[in-house]
Amino acid sequence: MMIFVLARADNGVIGVGGRLPWRLPEDLRRFKALTMGTPMVMGRKTFESFPAPLPGRRHIVLTRDRTWSAAGAEVAHDVEAALALTANGDVTVVGGAEIYALLLDRADRIELTEVHCTPDGDAVVPAFTGWREVARESRPAEGERPAYDFVTLVR
């Protein structure tokens, strides 16, 4: 099963300058819970946005750069090679925008945090159309933190 895990603002923004445009500790805890123990497929920029490889997870990095390598990363240069590294088991896809676009037709489920704000950003993911919502948990705005919803989508 392929599961997308991401937080997306109302305007589609998922990142700015290699960082999240918000700070939502509960979303980070959810990300950890959803990805723990699974291979994560990601792009190079997403991998480089982490302070270090995340414990308890494999980091499969899809990059066009044939010379790129990093400690803690398993490198693949095309989708088939990346998926072969997962041994056809469960996999989480954690970004960025190009990787989500490349793998959207293969995804089985989307674990989405809808962040109710419209920040400026340079990484954008369009709305997921043709998916069915099967769960939603809403969280109110609090201080500087925007309201957000944890949403599960399936085909």
Side-chain angles (χ1 to χ4, degrees), residues 41-53:
V41 172
M42 68 197 75
R44 176 190 52 79
K45 290 185 234 173
T46 297
F47 179 84
E48 291 175 347
S49 75
F50 297 149

Side-chain angles (χ1 to χ4, degrees), residues 2-10 12-15 20-22 24 27-28 30-32 34-35 41 46 92-101 104 107 109-115 123-128 131 148-153:
M2 182 179 290
I3 303 165
F4 281 19
V5 180
L6 72 150
R8 180 184 174 279
D10 292 336
V13 168
I14 64 168
L20 295 173
W22 45 75
L24 301 173
D27 178 56
L28 296 177
R30 182 174 188 252
F31 177 89
K32 180 178 181 179
L34 288 167
T35 61
V41 172
T46 297
T92 52
V93 177
V94 299
E98 286 184 57
I99 304 304
Y100 292 126
L104 183 60
R109 190 170 88 219
I110 299 171
E111 294 293 346
L112 176 65
T113 301
E114 292 179 344
V115 185
V124 176
V125 170
F128 295 104
W131 291 78
Y148 56 99
D149 296 324
F150 294 139
V151 181
T152 301
L153 304 170

Side-chain angles (χ1 to χ4, degrees), residues 71-88:
E74 299 173 58
V75 180
H77 301 292
D78 61 59
V79 167
E80 295 310 320
L83 296 180
L85 289 171
T86 70
N88 296 318

